[in-house]
């Protein structure tokens, strides 16, 4: 039996627009049940439009393990802004870090065969504490090797990941055929023309203003021959140029490609909401790479699919 015919039960915490579900599809992993914990109504709308069979559970705080069948894969990316270290302990009282502990709670209660937690890079002392709590050593992956967008993240998982590829994908490799029809002097009247390439391949046309200070992020223009900076919830329509004379903004469909999301996947909500949801989401191609290592024979033999079905009766 091939793994493609074996279906699994997935619980996705802090699910967003279900980038984890897209990644599972790209990796060829079939899903029996996909349970999603999300409270943002716009994110839920995107998910239910694309995956109407998703079982929305609401807030992670309200999830009870006894209400779920056997979970084969637990995934999530919780906010980590509230972490602090006192000795070797995290701040259990911060509302934001409490969400991480909900991931830990459900991991311990559900005892899934596999799990994946994603988050931003953080100080070593905090990351080391998470290593200890989850029982695995974090893995660093930059999504520029998958879609050309700089997205540096830590991944905590017991999925046995192989060698991470190194690719040279640039902005121009992802662009649609949209015209560059705006005069670059709109920016250069206020900023210095001084093309600079960062260590990770971002080419900024105007890194400083006329007074020598770093250009405000919304005022920067990027050469499409370089890597793409990280798109985020508040800044997704980056300024790009191909000839250093004209410019345009990244389109929403191009932002979807940079995150590995299918074209028009987010089209059910407004442009600003599309950008916000994409900026908050996972890089699908990176996560699909991780999930691809679940396709071996060990993956097939590790699940008790019959017991999963029994638990749902």
């Amino acid at each position: 039996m091939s793994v493609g015919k074996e279906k699994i039960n997935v619980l996705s915490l802090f699910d967003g627009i279900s980038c984890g579900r897209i990644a599972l599809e790209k990796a060829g992993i079939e899903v029996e049940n996909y349970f999603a914990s999300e409270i943002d109504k716009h994110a839920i709308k995107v998910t239910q439009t694309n995956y109407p069979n998703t079982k929305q559970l609401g807030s992670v705080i309200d999830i009870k393990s006894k209400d779920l069948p056997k979970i084969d894969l637990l995934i999530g990316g919780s906010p980590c802004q509230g972490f602090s270290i006192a000795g070797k302990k995290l701040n259990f009282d911060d509302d934001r870090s409490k969400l991480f502990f909900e991931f830990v709670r459900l991991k311990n209660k559900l005892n899934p065969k596999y799990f994946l937690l994603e988050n931003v890079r953080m100080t070593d002392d905090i990351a080391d504490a998470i290593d200890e709590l989850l029982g695995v050593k974090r893995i660093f992956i930059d999504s520029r090797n998958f879609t050309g967008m700089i997205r540096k993240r830590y991944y905590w998982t017991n999925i046995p990941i192989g060698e991470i590829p190194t690719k040279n994908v640039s902005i121009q490799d992802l662009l649609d055929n949209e015209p560059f029809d705006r005069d670059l002097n709109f920016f250069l009247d206020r900023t210095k023309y001084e093309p600079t390439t960062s260590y990770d391949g971002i080419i900024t046309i105007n890194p400083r203003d006329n007074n020598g200070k770093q250009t405000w992020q919304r005022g920067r223009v990027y050469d499409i021959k370089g890597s793409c900076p990280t798109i985020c919830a508040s800044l997704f329509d980056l300024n790009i140029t191909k000839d250093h004379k004209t410019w345009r903004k990244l389109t929403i469909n191009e932002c979807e490609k940079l995150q590995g999301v299918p074209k028009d996947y987010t089209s059910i909500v407004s442009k600003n909401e599309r950008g916000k949801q994409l900026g908050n989401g996972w890089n699908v191609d990176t996560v699909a790479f991780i999930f691809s290592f679940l396709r071996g024979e060990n993956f097939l033999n590790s699940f008790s699919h019959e017991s999963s079905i029994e638990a749902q009766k």
Side-chain angles (χ1 to χ4, degrees):
M1 182 189 300
S2 68
V3 68
K5 294 181 180 179
E6 184 75 8
K7 295 184 179 181
I8 65 172
N9 288 327
V10 181
L11 173 58
S12 175
L13 307 181
F14 327 105
D15 182 64
I17 56 174
S18 294
C19 290
R21 182 69 181 272
I22 308 171
L24 285 164
E25 280 192 3
K26 284 195 173 185
I29 309 298
E30 291 195 37
V31 173
E32 181 75 26
N33 292 293
Y34 188 93
F35 299 94
S37 172
E38 180 55 56
I39 60 174
D40 185 297
K41 65 180 183 180
H42 301 290
I44 293 172
K45 187 175 183 179
V46 171
T47 290
Q48 297 305 128
T49 298
N50 289 280
Y51 295 106
N53 293 329
T54 300
K55 296 173 173 61
Q56 293 288 343
L57 303 180
S59 173
V60 63
I61 296 171
D62 299 327
I63 296 177
K64 305 289 192 299
S65 58
K66 64 181 179 62
D67 296 331
L68 294 170
K70 172 63 180 176
I71 296 299
D72 303 305
L73 175 64
L74 173 68
I75 61 177
S78 65
C80 280
Q81 301 96 324
F83 286 138
S84 65
I85 296 292
K88 291 186 177 180
K89 296 182 179 180
L90 298 175
N91 180 1
F92 285 81
D93 297 322
D94 188 284
D95 287 340
R96 295 165 297 182
S97 52
K98 279 180 181 177
L99 294 175
F100 162 75
F101 293 108
E102 292 297 323
F103 184 95
V104 176
R105 173 180 69 87
L106 288 166
K107 174 182 175 293
N108 292 339
K109 286 281 189 180
L110 294 167
N111 192 29
K113 181 64 180 180
Y114 293 105
F115 66 87
L116 172 68
L117 177 74
E118 178 261 17
N119 227 297
V120 297
R121 286 201 302 179
M122 57 196 71
T123 58
D124 285 344
D125 51 0
I126 296 176
D128 288 344
I130 296 176
D131 288 354
E132 186 173 349
L133 280 167
L134 294 182
V136 294
K137 181 68 176 177
R138 63 192 178 273
I139 299 169
F140 171 75
I141 304 179
D142 187 346
S143 295
R144 68 184 291 229
N145 290 319
F146 296 91
T147 66
M149 178 181 62
I150 305 295
R151 203 171 188 86
K152 301 174 181 179
R153 294 291 186 267
Y154 281 145
Y155 297 87
W156 288 265
T157 185
N158 62 344
I159 298 171
I161 300 175
E163 184 177 354
I164 300 169
T166 301
K167 298 179 183 178
N168 185 23
V169 185
S170 61
I171 299 173
Q172 63 187 354
D173 297 324
L174 279 297
L175 295 183
D176 295 327
N177 188 26
E178 298 289 336
F180 289 77
D181 54 4
R182 307 185 194 185
D183 190 342
L184 195 61
N185 285 321
F186 174 81
F187 293 103
L188 298 183
D189 286 344
R190 294 164 289 174
T191 58
K192 291 185 177 181
Y193 176 73
E194 193 177 61
T196 303
T197 303
S198 70
Y199 73 94
D200 46 11
I202 299 173
I203 304 173
T204 309
I205 298 304
N206 54 342
R208 297 177 179 81
D209 65 21
N210 289 330
N211 296 317
K213 295 182 179 179
Q214 187 176 31
T215 303
W216 184 42
Q217 197 167 11
R218 283 202 172 275
R220 298 174 200 165
V221 184
Y222 302 101
D223 191 316
I224 63 173
K225 291 187 290 295
S227 300
C228 186
T230 304
I231 62 171
C232 58
S234 60
L235 184 61
F236 53 89
D237 53 347
L238 302 175
N239 310 311
I240 56 175
T241 182
K242 65 176 180 179
D243 60 6
H244 298 199
K245 296 177 182 178
T246 57
W247 69 283
R248 68 170 176 87
K249 288 183 174 294
L250 282 173
T251 68
I252 285 292
N253 285 150
E254 289 166 346
C255 291
E256 287 175 326
K257 279 197 280 189
L258 286 163
Q259 280 289 56
V261 170
K263 182 179 180 181
D264 290 328
Y265 181 84
T266 59
S267 61
I268 192 67
V269 296
S270 70
K271 178 181 177 180
N272 283 341
E273 276 299 330
R274 294 177 76 178
K276 174 185 173 183
Q277 302 303 334
L278 289 166
N280 285 334
W282 281 355
N283 184 274
V284 170
D285 288 23
T286 304
V287 179
F289 164 76
I290 296 172
F291 288 159
S292 71
F293 291 95
L294 293 174
R295 296 197 52 172
E297 288 302 316
N298 289 337
F299 168 84
L300 178 61
N301 296 330
S302 67
F303 294 120
S304 178
H305 187 54
E306 291 182 0
S307 64
S308 286
I309 295 175
E310 282 297 317
Q312 296 176 66
K313 291 182 179 179

